[in-house]
Amino acid sequence: MIYTLTTNPAIDLNVTTGTLSTDRVNRTRDAVYTPNGKGLNVSFALGHYGVDSQILGFFGGFSGDYIVREAARRCPVRPVTIDGITRVNVFVTTPEGEYKLPNAGAAVCREKQVEMLDLLREAGDLSCLVVSGSLPPGVDAGYYDELVDVVRARGAELVLDISHPHLAELVARRPLLIKPNDEEVAAIFGVDVGDEGGALAALSELHRRGAQNVLLTLGGEGAYFSDGAHVWHASAAKVKVLSTACAGDATLASFLSVWLEDRGAVERALIRAMATGANVAMSAGLGDFSLVDDLARQVEVTRLV
């Protein structure tokens, strides 16, 4: 069973407005409230493709209750309840572009951190843990190492989609897959992904440091996947972007929905990933995946190495 862990979940509020001004009231429209967090999105997208998973996370207050209730309609949830109020993130789409306004989140005390680790130790069907998103206040980077220790002790696999600088050390623990974007690779590993040569150099460096497999996403420039022996590039489907808030999570989940079952189906996994991510970027939240098949026809995959 795949488990997804969101240490800092949120309600995402997506709204649309005209040009923003400090001189008047800025009326919004088309408000969409979504139970969110990167791991939750991974579970929701996996479920769309018929892959079972369970959601783990820290949840508190009225917003935490809302997320757990709404998420449970789509996927089993095993919450750890905390004091404080789960954050609400705001995404404002304007004619000039999208403003992203995330909040820090509620603090998670050590007792609750241990409760989550114990939950993982007792999950008898754990085969893969996907850890996504930021750490909440009160949790330091060493918690990632504790998660790795538990997963390794259980004989399970680990997938990391995090932007924390500690990823530079975590790759030495040989996670099954990491999914950085070009900005994260530059900030965390000091490798510029400006062109194909830069991407190949970055992938080589990540493998040298310990990563087994890397899905490197580049937004509108597509993505690269490397298993250490071969490298593939997938083009991006061309769409009108409404919000990028959930696109990366859907890209990862849709890739995993194919690749975890068949490690040789890289091309098919990349096509699904690029088409799904593009379709989600057209929507507020995850959307309904209705255009994935059409968008898949735009995606071209090339093996470079």
Side-chain angles (χ1 to χ4, degrees):
M1 174 69 70
I2 300 171
Y3 282 73
T4 64
L5 173 58
T6 306
T7 55
N8 200 13
I11 294 175
D12 277 2
L13 169 59
N14 291 82
V15 297
T16 302
T17 188
T19 300
L20 291 174
S21 172
T22 58
D23 297 327
R24 55 176 170 77
V25 174
N26 296 281
R27 303 289 182 184
T28 63
R29 61 184 185 278
D30 305 326
V32 177
Y33 299 85
T34 308
N36 218 322
K38 295 178 70 65
L40 280 86
N41 293 331
V42 170
S43 279
F44 296 155
L46 285 171
H48 173 80
Y49 289 114
V51 179
D52 292 335
S53 68
Q54 295 201 30
I55 292 170
L56 306 174
F58 300 106
F59 303 95
F62 74 95
S63 49
D65 291 343
Y66 170 80
I67 295 172
V68 171
R69 183 178 69 250
E70 294 301 312
R73 300 177 188 269
R74 306 171 65 175
C75 182
V77 183
R78 301 183 68 176
V80 170
T81 303
I82 62 172
D83 295 330
I85 298 174
T86 294
R87 61 186 179 151
V88 178
N89 294 332
V90 181
F91 299 87
V92 184
T93 299
T94 75
E96 292 76 33
E98 181 186 41
Y99 291 84
K100 303 175 183 180
L101 306 171
N103 295 301
V108 177
C109 67
R110 181 59 187 169
E111 178 184 358
K112 296 300 182 178
Q113 297 174 39
V114 172
E115 183 178 337
M116 179 64 74
L117 295 172
D118 289 341
L119 194 159
L120 282 166
R121 291 188 183 98
E122 296 164 4
D125 56 353
L126 174 66
S127 61
C128 180
L129 176 66
V130 181
V131 181
S132 301
S134 62
L135 291 172
V139 181
D140 64 34
Y143 194 62
Y144 288 128
D145 294 289
E146 294 182 275
L147 290 168
V148 174
D149 290 341
V150 171
V151 171
R152 289 288 180 263
R154 296 297 315 279
E157 299 282 11
L158 180 69
V159 174
L160 294 173
D161 181 13
I162 61 174
S163 57
H164 197 285
H166 193 51
L167 182 62
E169 283 73 48
L170 289 171
V171 290
R173 307 292 299 274
R174 293 190 57 75
L176 174 65
L177 176 71
I178 62 173
K179 191 203 78 65
N181 60 35
D182 50 347
E183 294 179 355
E184 291 163 344
V185 166
I188 297 171
F189 298 96
V191 183
D192 181 38
V193 185
D195 53 21
E196 185 176 293
L200 293 175
L203 292 167
S204 177
E205 174 66 10
L206 293 173
H207 287 301
R208 186 189 69 78
R209 293 191 181 212
Q212 295 186 57
N213 300 277
V214 182
L215 180 60
L216 171 59
T217 57
L218 307 175
E221 299 302 315
Y224 291 88
F225 174 76
S226 174
D227 62 6
H230 302 292
V231 178
W232 293 259
H233 175 260
S235 64
K238 304 304 180 184
V239 299
K240 182 178 180 180
V241 174
L242 177 62
S243 174
T244 61
C246 305
D249 310 327
T251 298
L252 173 61
S254 51
F255 182 86
L256 292 175
S257 71
V258 175
W259 182 76
L260 280 179
E261 183 177 347
D262 183 357
R263 303 292 169 85
V266 172
E267 181 174 340
R268 184 160 57 91
L270 283 171
I271 289 173
R272 177 178 284 183
M274 292 296 95
T276 304
N279 197 176
V280 170
M282 301 167 67
S283 312
L286 278 175
D288 60 8
F289 300 82
S290 62
L291 298 178
V292 168
D293 290 342
D294 291 336
L295 293 171
R297 298 186 186 98
Q298 297 185 33
V299 180
E300 296 182 1
V301 177
T302 305
R303 201 180 95 175
L304 303 176
V305 178

